[in-house]
């Protein structure tokens, strides 16, 4: 409850702050209603289950999360994963996977791993979010055009099948869908509708058109799902078994990973808009609790919703009170107006998801990165995007991150240098020792950069390739920020090979962290009593001057 406590300490729960947070909460609740139903249907659940999710997750994250502005609920990012889980394991499997994902998120937060999410590179994040947008867009074609949904599971198969049946579109359905799309995008330009959210205008407008027009063949919530229950269900634990838990661990991990990424990105957006600062670990705990509670009430996976969080900030929300009011607003709508929702055409929800998919794709950022990013980042972007669309989101993120890490390691390894210092380079340090030059048979090398596994072979080749006439070799580590086990083993190998050639080795100027590792790994013992010096001057002073 860090965010709630901080809001109280900042005086944001005072009576003078009630009105702006009440207004923001009501507006966000109205915006969340069509989105919650649309995401539920796209995920293979019933529309009311999306509302249940938004209510429970909205309350839990507002009360127990780490951002006082976060609005949680069903999101478009989850649609691809959840639809696949529902198709494979049924809605009961989705509930269990959500429950397990909630436990994972709580553990991640308690282990203080919230900040690890920021290490996912921008091309990977943009690649999978754009890919999700494309999958959602194509997935809504059946409801938008009024055509049959193909049984195929793979994206390319669905795309081919849908493209073949597009000429058979249902005219009335398409007309309603296009009207809903126009109202979603430009409805606020209508007189008196400036402050009304576009999705709500689309929902009401198209529902009224269908109600009075009574077009044949138009699918509605009532015809597809039998309407919406006018109550919040009593809590019930899903049926758990060891076999079921093991079966759903993988899908649960997918939900947890994406939920962590999405919620923390949303919290960062809120911080940027309002000048606040969220607690990443507490946010994961709050998201975890939300996902533990949602399945108990028939809901499914939820996370921080960027668009709804931004709407909250823009409309004056300053504390978790707005998130609580958003949930209460949805509950009131469910209890008072649920029977009316049965008349909503699914084409209207498909049109709303078209807009969500476009916003998720961030086409302008995608095009900008293609034009201006380094070639390696462009390759990572395209690979992540392609894998998200044609294979699997989790595989896409994993491979994207692995490729980014490998590229980074290659660049880091290339930045590590081993330089041999000539006498002019050491003129000042030699003069301080009263030397006109390096003692005969002495070579001085400096390693610059992290001495780690990717650079170990390069360092070994450079240090071993010294002249055979050298009697003493000094290795400076003053520009080595850290050394890993591979680096320690490589340094030990270098020292042994030089000693076998009767070359005395002196290591000097390691920082305390590197020095501690040299000692623990036995490298200092291998060097002997005179084999390590804190400064180059000390290393040179131990060398007797030439006769």
């Amino acid at each position: 409850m860090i965010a709630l406590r901080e809001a109280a300490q900042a005086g944001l729960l005072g009576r003078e702050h009630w009105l702006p947070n009440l207004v923001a909460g009501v507006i966000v609740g109205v915006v969340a209603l069509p989105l919650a139903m649309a995401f539920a249907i796209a995920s293979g659940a019933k529309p009311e289950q999306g509302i249940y999710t938004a209510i429970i997750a909205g309350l839990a994250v507002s009360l127990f999360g780490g951002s006082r502005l976060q609005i949680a609920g069903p999101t478009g990012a989850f649609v691809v994963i959840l639809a696949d889980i529902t198709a494979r394991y049924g809605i009961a499997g989705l509930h269990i996977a959500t429950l397990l994902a909630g436990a994972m998120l709580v553990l991640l937060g308690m282990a203080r791993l919230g900040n690890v999410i920021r290490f996912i590179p921008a091309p990977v994040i943009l690649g999978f979010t754009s890919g999700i947008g494309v999958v959602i867009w194509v997935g809504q074609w059946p409801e938008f055009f009024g055509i049959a949904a193909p049984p195929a599971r793979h994206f390319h198969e669905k795309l081919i099948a849908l493209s073949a049946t597009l000429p058979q579109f249902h005219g009335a359905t398409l007309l309603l869908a296009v009207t809903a799309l126009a109202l979603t995008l430009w409805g606020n330009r209508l007189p008196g509708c400036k402050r009304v959210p576009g999705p709500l205008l689309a929902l009401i407008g198209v529902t009224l058109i269908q109600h009075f027009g009574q077009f044949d063949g138009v699918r509605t919530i009532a015809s597809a799902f039998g309407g919406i229950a006018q109550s919040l269900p009593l809590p019930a634990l899903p049926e758990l078994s060891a076999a079921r838990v093991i079966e759903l661990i993988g899908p649960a991990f997918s939900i947890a990973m994406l939920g962590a990424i999405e919620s923390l990105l949303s919290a960062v957006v809120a911080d940027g808009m309002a000048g606040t600062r969220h607690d990443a670990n507490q946010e994961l705990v709050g998201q975890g609790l939300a996902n533990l509670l949602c399945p108990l009430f028939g809901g499914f996976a939820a996370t921080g919703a960027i668009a709804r969080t931004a709407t909250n900030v823009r409309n004056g929300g300053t504390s978790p009170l707005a998130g609580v009011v958003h949930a209460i607003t949805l509950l009131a709508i469910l209890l008072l107006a649920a029977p009316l929702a049965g008349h909503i055409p699914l084409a209207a929800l498909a049109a709303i998801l078209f807009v969500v998919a476009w916003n998720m794709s961030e086409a302008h950022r995608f095009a900008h990165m293609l034009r201006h990013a380094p070639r390696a980042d462009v390759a990572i972007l395209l690979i992540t995007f392609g894998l998200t669309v044609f294979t699997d989101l989790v595989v896409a993120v994993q491979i994207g991150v692995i490729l980014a890490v490998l590229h980074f390691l290659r660049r880091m390894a290339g930045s590590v240098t081993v330089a041999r210092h000539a006498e002019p380079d050491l003129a000042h340090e030699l003069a301080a020792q009263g030397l006109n030059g390096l003692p005969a048979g002495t070579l001085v090398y400096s390693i610059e950069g992290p001495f780690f596994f990717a650079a170990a072979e390069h360092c070994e080749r450079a240090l071993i390739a010294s002249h055979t006439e050298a009697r003493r070799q000094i290795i400076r580590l003053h520009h080595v920020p850290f050394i890993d086990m591979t680096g320690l083993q490589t340094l030990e190998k270098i020292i042994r090979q030089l000693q076998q050639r009767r070359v005395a080795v002196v290591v000097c100027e390691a920082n305390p962290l590197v020095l501690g590792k040299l000692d623990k790994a036995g490298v200092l013992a291998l060097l002997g009593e005179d084999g390590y010096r804190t400064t180059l001057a000390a290393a040179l002073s131990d060398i007797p001057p030439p006769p």
Side-chain angles (χ1 to χ4, degrees):
M1 303 180 71
I2 290 177
L4 193 62
R5 184 175 67 246
E6 288 182 352
Q9 292 173 348
L12 296 174
L13 299 183
R15 190 167 296 179
E16 65 275 15
H17 294 283
W18 286 5
L19 183 60
N21 283 286
L22 286 170
V23 172
V26 171
I27 292 173
V28 175
V30 171
V31 170
L33 177 65
L35 295 175
M37 291 190 292
F39 293 143
I41 294 170
S43 300
K46 294 181 179 180
E48 63 264 33
Q49 291 179 297
I51 302 176
Y52 302 158
T53 302
I55 293 170
I56 302 302
L59 277 173
V61 171
S62 294
L63 294 176
F64 302 105
S67 168
R68 63 174 183 248
L69 300 170
Q70 183 83 280
I71 302 295
T75 66
F78 272 146
V79 165
V80 178
I81 290 178
L82 302 189
D84 184 61
I85 294 173
T86 306
R88 292 189 184 190
Y89 307 103
I91 197 68
L94 178 58
H95 289 159
I96 295 172
T98 301
L99 201 67
L100 295 174
M104 292 179 188
L105 286 169
V106 171
L107 291 175
L108 286 174
M110 293 177 66
R112 309 194 66 78
L113 295 176
N115 290 322
V116 173
I117 304 301
R118 64 194 174 115
F119 297 131
I120 298 178
V124 176
I125 293 175
L126 182 58
F128 81 73
T129 53
S130 297
I132 290 171
V134 171
V135 175
I136 292 175
W137 176 58
V138 173
Q140 291 305 303
W141 285 12
E143 302 300 347
F144 192 92
F145 294 101
I147 58 180
R153 281 186 54 204
H154 298 293
F155 176 82
H156 67 283
E157 296 172 343
K158 288 181 181 178
L159 183 60
I160 294 171
L162 288 171
S163 300
T165 56
L166 272 181
Q168 304 167 19
F169 65 87
H170 185 262
T173 298
L174 181 59
L175 178 63
L176 292 174
V178 171
T179 303
L181 185 61
L183 288 172
T184 302
L185 293 172
W186 304 296
N188 55 8
R189 299 182 184 179
L190 296 174
C193 297
K194 186 176 181 180
R195 300 281 295 178
V196 182
L200 183 64
L201 279 174
L203 210 64
I204 295 174
V206 172
T207 302
L208 289 174
I209 293 173
Q210 171 60 21
H211 176 71
F212 290 109
Q214 292 296 313
F215 301 110
D216 293 332
V218 173
R219 281 165 49 85
T220 64
I221 287 180
S223 65
F225 301 99
I228 292 180
Q230 197 173 0
S231 63
L232 190 67
L234 295 175
L237 188 68
E239 293 185 11
L240 297 173
S241 66
R244 197 73 163 145
V245 168
I246 293 171
E247 182 182 38
L248 290 162
I249 281 289
F253 176 77
S254 302
I255 293 173
M257 184 185 71
L258 185 57
I261 295 171
E262 188 80 1
S263 62
L264 295 179
L265 283 177
S266 179
V268 169
V269 169
D271 288 347
M273 294 179 67
T276 56
R277 187 172 182 178
H278 73 281
D279 185 305
N281 297 313
Q282 184 63 34
E283 183 61 26
L284 290 184
V285 171
Q287 296 291 341
L289 291 174
N291 283 280
L292 283 170
L293 292 172
C294 281
L296 305 183
F297 292 88
F300 50 86
T303 186
I306 295 176
R308 276 159 276 171
T309 299
T311 301
N312 180 34
V313 177
R314 291 194 196 102
N315 286 279
T318 58
S319 76
L321 177 62
V324 173
V325 172
H326 138 266
I328 294 173
T329 301
L330 285 170
L331 179 61
I333 294 172
L334 178 69
L335 297 178
L336 300 176
L340 300 177
H343 302 290
I344 297 173
L346 297 184
L349 299 179
I352 293 170
L353 287 180
F354 266 31
V355 177
V356 170
W358 172 257
N359 292 335
M360 284 194 67
S361 70
E362 296 189 86
H364 60 289
R365 279 190 63 205
F366 196 95
H368 182 271
M369 191 172 289
L370 285 178
R371 290 195 302 268
H372 301 291
R375 285 180 297 178
D377 289 326
V378 171
I380 292 170
L381 171 69
L382 293 175
I383 289 171
T384 306
F385 173 81
L387 289 173
T388 300
V389 172
F390 293 103
T391 59
D392 179 79
L393 171 64
V394 177
V395 171
V397 173
Q398 289 173 345
I399 291 180
V401 170
I402 290 171
L403 290 175
V405 169
L406 291 176
H407 173 62
F408 171 76
L409 291 175
R410 185 178 68 84
R411 296 293 299 272
M412 283 293 293
S415 69
V416 179
T417 60
V418 179
R420 178 182 171 184
H421 293 296
E423 290 185 354
D425 302 327
L426 302 171
H428 293 294
E429 292 169 282
L430 292 173
Q433 299 302 310
L435 300 173
N436 295 324
L438 286 172
T442 299
L443 298 177
V444 179
Y445 282 84
S446 177
I447 301 175
E448 301 186 2
F451 197 165
F452 72 119
F453 64 91
E457 184 179 357
H458 166 65
C459 294
E460 181 182 356
R461 286 199 307 266
L463 291 170
I464 291 296
S466 60
H467 297 293
T468 55
E469 67 270 14
R471 298 200 306 267
R472 188 179 179 96
Q473 186 160 315
I474 299 174
I475 301 174
R476 307 181 72 180
L477 301 180
H478 58 309
H479 288 147
V480 176
F482 69 87
I483 185 169
D484 69 357
M485 193 61 209
T486 304
L488 290 166
Q489 291 176 341
T490 302
L491 184 58
E492 180 182 350
K493 180 180 178 182
I494 291 168
I495 294 169
R496 290 188 185 279
Q497 290 188 23
L498 290 173
Q499 289 176 343
Q500 289 172 2
R501 289 160 47 181
R502 299 186 182 280
V503 177
V505 181
V506 177
V507 174
C508 64
E509 301 175 296
N511 66 44
L513 176 64
V514 172
L515 182 61
K517 292 185 177 182
L518 294 176
D519 185 23
K520 186 175 181 180
V523 175
L524 296 185
L526 177 64
L527 288 168
E529 185 177 348
D530 299 325
Y532 178 79
R533 291 292 180 265
T534 56
T535 64
L536 177 63
L540 291 172
S541 66
D542 290 340
I543 302 175

